[in-house]
Amino acid sequence: MAEPPRFRYIGQHRRAVEHRRFVTGQGRYAADIALPGLLHVAIVASPHASARILSVDASAALALPGVHAVLTGEDLQPEIEPMLPGVDAPEVRRFPLARDVVRYAGEWVAAVVADSRAIAEDAAELVEVDYAPSPHVVDPEAAIAPGAPLVHPMRGSNVIFRREFVWGPVEEDFAAAAHRLSYRVRWGRSATVPIETFVCTAAWNDATNLLDVWASIQMPKFPDLLARCLRLPGNAVRVHFDVDVGGSYGVKRGLKHAILVGFLARQLGRPVRFLEDRLENMRGGDMQGPDRLFDVTLAFDDKGVIRSMRMRALDDVGAYAGRSPFQLGKPVGAIVGPYTIHSVAYEAISVLTNKTPQEAVRGFGQAPTNYAIETGLDKVARFLGLDRIELRRRNLIPPERFPYLIPSGTLYDSGDYARVLDKALAAAPYAELLRQREALRAQGRLAGIGVSTCLEPSGGNSSFEPLFNPKNTTTTWMDSCLIRVDLNGAVTAVMATSSSGQAHETLVSTVVGEVLQREPDSIRVIHADSLSALPSNSPVGSRMAIMLGGAAAGAAKRIRAKMLRIAAHNLGVAEEALEWREGAAVLRADPTRALSWARLVEIAHREFHNLPPGMEPGLQESFVWEVPGGGGLPTPDGRIQMYPCHSFEAHVVLASVDPETGKVALHRYVVGHDCGVMISPDVVHGMTYGGVAHGLGAALMEKFAYSPEGQLLSGSLMDYLLPSAQEVPPITIVDHCTPSPLTEFGQKGSGEAGYLGGPAAIASAINDALAPLGAALDALPMTPAAIWRTLRAAQMARAATESTREPT
Amino acid sequence: MLAPPSPVTVEIIVNGTPRRACVEPRTTLVDFLREHLGLTGTHIGCEHGICGACSVLLEGEPVRACCLFALQVEGLSVTTVEGLAPARGELSRLQNAFCEAHALQCGYCTPGMLIACHDLLARNPRPSEEEIREAIGGNLCRCTGYQQIVDAVKLASGQEAAHG
Ligand code: FES
Ligand code: FES
């Protein structure tokens, strides 16, 4: 394979330009926006999972000094448009404040506005709401059973989306296979839980009819949706993308928060801020993640080559839905993982329950699906008595078969999966892990090695929208960049979205520096607001290295092309005779003849008489880039090109379990990772480490647990446990580079790295540890209590078998 | 009806300068710093003492500013992230190492992390990896997986980072 191309700035260690403001406390987050006369919001939330609202009495709250308003759903709903789900289910209407009916414990019923947060919270406690509780359902399987209480009776069913896809000759492949194996796995309800909760500040100006919004947002089409729901023209809402967002990883989609705050700011004529407290964030913030049951059957031969797969995924989206049902759609683009599985039947079911709504989580549904597939690989290996790594080798798509078309219609761009796995095993090194596993077992611990080999689709488009909703014909998911070179020759690049830790300013300045051959640290990158911005679809779906990087490169190339044209005109030579060197136009045949950067800038800005005829003066170019390979609607049988680029990760883990307590320790963690050409290796590595840690949380610790009554039991960081530096082990990353043929520099995306394969690998290690006792656990999170119960059940089962044998 | 609590004047020495504001007695230290002094470098993540985003030094010891009332620290000396750099426009060795080792992403936990690590290095100039992990064990970061934070502390203490 060819060596990846060499670059001047791309792929080099470079300090992220964002860091300096963050380490000095000079970041500017949404909660830091101080406006004169700012008012604060507190929420009155439903204590019931399902109830009718009989009355709301706000008189005591309104009498409290410092309180400005109490808004109910009755006041608000007639004034705004509902938020609708992305799938075709118009009955599932959602508003920031409930009216008549509440559908989950924590649903917002009223909002109190006061001079301070503390006063608003005091007043919220004085709002008296009368409820008549009604039947509820919190279990997704119960929710689809006949006679279940309906979360949205108008819908007639708790199923908000269901479709069965068949891609390829599933029947024939199953009939021809020597073996089939069925299993069930469960992905627990967890999420990304950023350290910053959701914050929104808004101010309305009566003179200009303009709503200014500062929000910790990471959401495609947020300004447009906000304007539509508030019944304002798009140009009456200005979302400021220059706020720093304190982490998101998918969930910061506070549309309802922003509708509420925007409405209040306009109604009261005062700036308003809503800062979720932690319970609000966990419960009524609507930011919980996928909660999925998979029933899978694999068909395979004696050698363990998997020929076909049937998968049914039942996902509990909670009481309302935005884009959450699409989280079953995105994995269609990598439904066979990195394997040569020839045909697939996939049934996707999104179900409504009386729980907090689900929101996008890192990977947009891919991590649970990867976990389900990988669990099957381990089970097949165990069934056939084969080594799990050898089994994967037999099924991995070989490098010579790229680009590789999977049964569901996506073309994988490039990859060398076995090689990445080999690199991870060598780094472990695997022989040493085997030795350590035996040593741990000799000490009386349960020890296991885990492995996973997983896809990271990247370059997010929105192909799952038309796939899951025929009325939705979205086929573009562009991103853009504008570059200006000023009269003094300095370069400014304008991006059109906020960032939540992805170092986009570093990305853009590195890319623009590379193309223009200007020092990246001299290039300023700013975040536009939604009225001055070009179109963007925000940093979702591991797309920014590809899409923003591609747009920045495109705009920079236009600047460079223009400067070369100016140079050719002034030197009296053909453009092809020139080359771009060190930020100047140089005659290839005679490098003494050149026009410097400064001179070209001068001509462009001041000397119309030296510009080629018809050329626009000045130096500014924009570029709007369509997702590569995108642009098509699905076929009638549901095949579509999902994301364009495919990164890959191989995890190898050594874990042990304390048989007395069920507590897990991770002794060695290695990730082999291939995301093509890395633009900023430090950033990619950082996201991968963070993704592994997040995956560890999903695998072992994190769960939005509900009581049978539908009460959230883990609404604080004392019950919903995030991994600390003491749980996350040292992690070794081994890089590999298979450039993407579809992108400017060969880059692929990596924002979801680590998380997409981590839970599968950790679960694999635990099951390897439990296997000698005949125990298996196929539900996340594998908390100490869950492991302990599994061990205990296995012990009882053994005891029972032994006692039945005894009489003979 | 609750009577509004009468405001009190609180004076705290923040980053070496006496600062005063008239606040409700129930104002937490973190709100005092952020809302009344405009020092927004100190963040809030949970307001119940778990995440560490609000960490500041109180008389040189790390504390959670969300769990203290401003009134409780009247007259005492508080150092926030804004006070860690030796001079305006400069970075401390630790801040510099955080930038160099990419020990942050969204930056939200960073002020608290810096406070925890600053305190560690003051007590232990050459901490081991285990000691570093223990020292930041009460500061949650959702972005970094902690690895590059450990690397940064090693770098700041003149030790080679163990990982590439
Ligand atoms: S905000 Fe103080 S510990 Fe979380
Ligand atoms: S850098 Fe984002 S939470 Fe730590």
Side-chain angles (χ1 to χ4, degrees):
Chain A
M1 198 188 58
E3 274 289 290
R6 295 266 157 257
F7 301 101
R8 181 163 181 173
Y9 300 115
I10 283 175
Q12 308 299 312
H13 164 68
R14 179 181 166 223
R15 282 187 179 203
V17 293
E18 292 86 348
H19 287 351
R20 206 176 165 93
R21 66 176 184 264
F22 294 145
V23 299
T24 52
Q26 303 301 312
R28 190 164 170 263
Y29 299 86
D32 303 342
I33 307 296
L35 301 172
L38 188 65
L39 300 178
H40 302 262
V41 177
I43 295 294
V44 179
S46 165
H48 301 287
S50 174
R52 289 199 61 76
I53 301 172
L54 301 178
S55 66
V56 181
D57 178 1
S59 51
L62 284 166
L64 195 68
V67 172
H68 291 253
V70 176
L71 187 77
T72 65
E74 191 122 347
D75 307 327
L76 178 66
Q77 288 199 11
E79 306 295 326
I80 60 172
E81 293 301 312
M83 299 174 278
L84 293 175
V87 293
D88 187 15
E91 312 85 356
V92 182
R93 290 151 53 96
R94 181 187 193 185
F95 292 90
L97 300 175
R99 179 191 192 180
D100 302 331
V101 175
V102 286
R103 297 185 169 87
Y104 67 98
E107 181 168 4
W108 299 354
V109 172
V112 180
V113 190
D115 283 334
S116 74
R117 228 175 127 214
I119 296 172
E121 280 167 17
D122 286 344
E125 285 177 17
L126 299 177
V127 175
E128 293 205 15
V129 187
D130 263 349
Y131 298 94
S134 47
H136 64 275
V137 60
V138 292
D139 177 75
E141 289 192 291
I144 56 171
L150 295 179
V151 181
H152 293 265
M154 293 284 285
R155 170 97 190 133
S157 158
N158 287 326
V159 174
I160 186 169
F161 178 80
R162 171 184 235 142
R163 183 166 173 190
E164 189 169 359
F165 300 91
V166 179
W167 300 299
V170 174
E171 295 285 338
E172 292 87 331
D173 286 344
F174 263 82
H179 309 283
R180 59 188 58 189
L181 191 149
S182 298
Y183 58 97
R184 163 171 272 209
V185 299
R186 172 139 205 175
W187 177 277
R189 198 176 192 87
S190 55
T192 73
V193 191
I195 307 301
E196 178 198 46
T197 58
F198 193 84
V199 185
C200 180
T201 305
W204 171 260
N205 185 319
D206 278 327
T208 56
N209 280 340
L210 187 58
L211 182 73
D212 279 294
V213 178
W214 297 263
S216 45
I217 195 79
Q218 181 213 3
M219 182 178 188
K221 312 216 186 305
F222 170 69
D224 311 271
L225 290 167
L226 177 57
R228 189 182 308 168
C229 290
L230 286 173
R231 296 185 183 152
L232 289 170
N235 63 9
V237 172
R238 178 164 58 187
V239 178
H240 295 264
F241 292 130
D242 59 350
V243 290
D244 295 309
V245 180
S248 172
Y249 334 95
V251 298
K252 289 240 174 100
R253 312 269 172 117
L255 181 60
K256 80 170 190 186
H257 308 57
I259 296 169
L260 176 65
V261 173
F263 180 86
L264 288 168
R266 190 176 176 201
Q267 190 186 51
L268 300 172
R270 292 271 297 265
V272 175
R273 178 200 292 165
F274 175 44
L275 189 165
E276 289 178 328
D277 68 18
R278 184 49 69 179
L279 173 64
E280 208 52 74
N281 173 259
M282 308 281 269
R283 196 177 62 165
D286 297 0
M287 294 179 191
Q288 300 187 355
D291 181 353
R292 245 179 237 186
L293 268 166
F294 291 93
D295 289 294
V296 187
T297 306
L298 298 175
F300 50 98
D301 66 16
D302 289 326
K303 293 198 167 62
V305 175
I306 300 166
R307 194 68 186 152
S308 190
M309 173 174 79
R310 292 184 198 276
M311 175 183 277
R312 175 184 188 263
L314 178 69
D315 197 23
D316 176 349
V317 297
Y320 299 89
R323 292 172 70 76
S324 53
F326 293 144
Q327 297 201 82
L328 286 173
K330 183 268 183 89
V332 167
I335 198 68
V336 295
Y339 307 118
T340 53
I341 301 173
H342 179 249
S343 60
V344 177
Y346 177 57
E347 186 181 11
I349 312 167
S350 275
V351 57
L352 298 155
T353 61
N354 295 105
K355 298 208 291 246
T356 297
Q358 182 189 113
E359 198 38 273
V361 161
R362 198 178 210 150
F364 210 60
Q366 191 72 49
T369 305
N370 286 351
Y371 163 60
I373 297 171
E374 290 303 292
T375 301
L377 269 282
D378 280 11
K379 287 186 185 293
V380 169
R382 210 160 274 130
F383 174 83
L384 292 173
L386 279 171
D387 177 65
R388 287 168 295 160
I389 294 163
E390 175 55 27
L391 185 91
R392 282 176 171 76
R393 285 190 211 288
R394 292 180 188 178
N395 283 283
L396 288 173
I397 300 164
E400 63 278 9
R401 289 185 65 186
F402 288 91
Y404 182 87
L405 182 66
I406 68 168
S408 53
T410 288
L411 199 62
Y412 288 176
D413 56 335
S414 64
D416 192 350
Y417 302 153
R419 182 95 182 277
V420 178
L421 174 61
D422 285 342
K423 278 189 165 183
L425 292 168
Y430 188 63
E432 177 61 17
L433 294 193
L434 289 170
R435 202 191 58 70
Q436 285 179 21
R437 180 178 65 179
E438 294 326 305
L440 285 162
R441 285 178 177 174
Q443 291 164 23
R445 284 185 71 91
L446 303 169
I449 295 172
V451 60
S452 72
T453 45
C454 295
L455 257 290
E456 300 166 44
S458 63
N461 53 26
S462 206
S463 293
F464 37 74
E465 289 188 29
L467 185 68
F468 271 30
N469 184 352
K471 293 184 184 158
N472 183 332
T473 50
T474 301
T475 56
T476 179
W477 204 244
M478 64 289 202
D479 232 286
S480 58
C481 186
L482 166 73
I483 299 178
R484 299 189 301 117
V485 183
D486 62 35
L487 180 53
N488 300 324
V491 180
T492 303
V494 185
M495 55 177 287
T497 177
S498 47
S499 302
S500 38
Q502 304 92 336
H504 294 139
E505 294 162 35
T506 305
L507 164 75
V508 170
S509 52
T510 301
V511 163
V512 174
E514 183 73 42
V515 173
L516 296 179
Q517 296 187 26
R518 305 288 293 172
E519 172 53 47
D521 283 341
S522 75
I523 297 168
R524 184 173 299 278
V525 181
I526 63 165
H527 301 255
D529 61 62
S530 59
L531 295 188
S532 58
L534 296 168
S536 169
N537 281 289
S538 86
V540 296
S542 283
R543 67 199 301 273
M544 286 324 230
I546 297 166
M547 295 307 299
L548 180 58
K557 279 160 68 178
R558 285 185 173 159
I559 295 272
R560 188 178 67 191
K562 180 167 181 175
M563 291 174 106
L564 282 166
R565 271 184 68 205
I566 296 171
H569 179 72
N570 282 274
L571 292 170
V573 300
E575 271 176 64
E576 304 70 58
L578 295 173
E579 65 182 18
W580 191 253
R581 211 186 275 172
E582 305 287 326
V586 179
L587 190 63
R588 199 176 288 111
D590 176 8
T592 62
R593 294 191 63 201
L595 281 185
S596 69
W597 175 267
R599 181 67 194 122
L600 290 165
V601 170
E602 186 77 5
I603 295 171
H605 276 286
R606 287 190 199 275
E607 300 176 4
F608 192 70
H609 61 284
N610 281 327
L611 288 180
M615 181 180 273
E616 181 180 276
L619 267 177
Q620 57 286 318
E621 294 290 344
S622 64
F623 192 90
V624 182
W625 204 30
E626 166 63 350
V627 180
L633 285 169
T635 59
D637 68 340
R639 287 166 211 256
I640 191 157
Q641 176 69 43
M642 204 65 70
Y643 294 5
C645 301
H646 296 81
S647 301
F648 174 78
E649 56 192 61
H651 296 238
V652 183
V653 190
L654 174 67
S656 69
V657 178
D658 182 331
E660 303 300 322
T661 62
K663 195 166 160 39
V664 174
L666 300 182
H667 303 274
R668 181 85 176 109
Y669 205 114
V670 182
V671 197
H673 189 219
D674 180 359
C675 61
V677 170
M678 292 187 284
I679 294 171
S680 311
D682 301 85
V683 173
V684 171
H685 291 153
M687 289 179 173
T688 309
Y689 291 132
V692 169
H694 183 191
L696 183 159
L700 300 176
M701 302 166 70
E702 300 178 29
K703 186 173 183 183
F704 290 109
Y706 281 83
S707 73
E709 294 74 37
Q711 297 295 328
L712 177 62
L713 302 175
S714 46
S716 81
L717 297 186
M718 279 178 282
D719 328 289
Y720 185 100
L721 302 177
L722 300 180
S724 79
Q726 287 178 297
E727 282 88 30
V728 181
I731 298 157
T732 302
I733 298 172
V734 198
D735 293 320
H736 186 72
C737 176
T738 316
S740 174
L742 303 176
T743 58
E744 182 68 32
F745 307 106
Q747 75 270 34
K748 301 178 177 181
S750 69
E752 296 151 1
Y755 184 67
L756 293 194
I762 293 169
S764 167
I766 290 170
N767 278 309
D768 188 42
L770 301 184
L773 300 180
L777 180 53
D778 291 319
L780 303 187
M782 297 183 173
T783 59
I787 292 174
W788 187 86
R789 280 195 300 271
T790 305
L791 286 171
R792 180 117 182 95
Q795 201 178 33
M796 309 261 276
R798 267 200 319 276
T801 347
E802 271 153 31
S803 64
T804 50
R805 275 200 213 114
E806 244 154 54
T808 54
Chain B
M1 190 62 45
L2 296 164
S6 36
V8 288
T9 298
V10 178
E11 182 173 290
I12 301 172
I13 301 145
V14 182
N15 301 326
T17 309
R19 303 288 301 266
R20 86 176 40 207
C22 191
V23 300
E24 277 189 38
R26 61 176 168 177
T27 304
T28 58
L29 177 57
V30 69
D31 282 345
F32 183 84
L33 294 168
R34 290 180 50 82
E35 304 292 330
H36 297 273
L37 302 186
L39 291 170
T40 52
T42 303
H43 294 156
I44 49 177
C46 67
E47 298 173 280
H48 53 259
I50 302 290
C51 74
C54 63
S55 303
V56 297
L57 297 173
L58 176 63
E59 298 286 309
E61 296 281 326
V63 294
R64 320 234 130 175
C66 71
C67 297
L68 286 168
F69 293 115
L71 205 49
Q72 284 174 283
V73 306
E74 163 82 31
L76 301 182
S77 146
V78 167
T79 306
T80 69
V81 66
E82 289 94 342
L84 290 181
R88 223 176 117 194
E90 289 178 22
L91 298 180
S92 73
R93 209 180 154 88
L94 183 66
Q95 288 169 318
N96 196 47
F98 263 57
C99 294
E100 183 61 22
H102 192 65
L104 58 147
Q105 292 174 36
C106 76
Y108 201 75
C109 71
T110 308
M113 280 292 176
L114 285 165
I115 294 289
C117 297
H118 179 96
D119 169 63
L120 169 69
L121 293 179
R123 288 182 284 112
N124 179 355
R126 285 180 72 83
S128 66
E129 166 142 6
E130 255 171 50
E131 289 167 330
I132 298 168
R133 286 182 182 271
E134 196 187 314
I136 61 172
N139 287 72
L140 297 174
C141 172
R142 198 53 157 167
C143 292
T144 64
Y146 308 102
Q147 185 94 43
Q148 288 154 313
I149 298 175
V150 172
D151 294 348
V153 177
K154 292 219 155 176
L155 189 65
S157 59
Q159 306 179 71
E160 270 299 305
H163 325 279

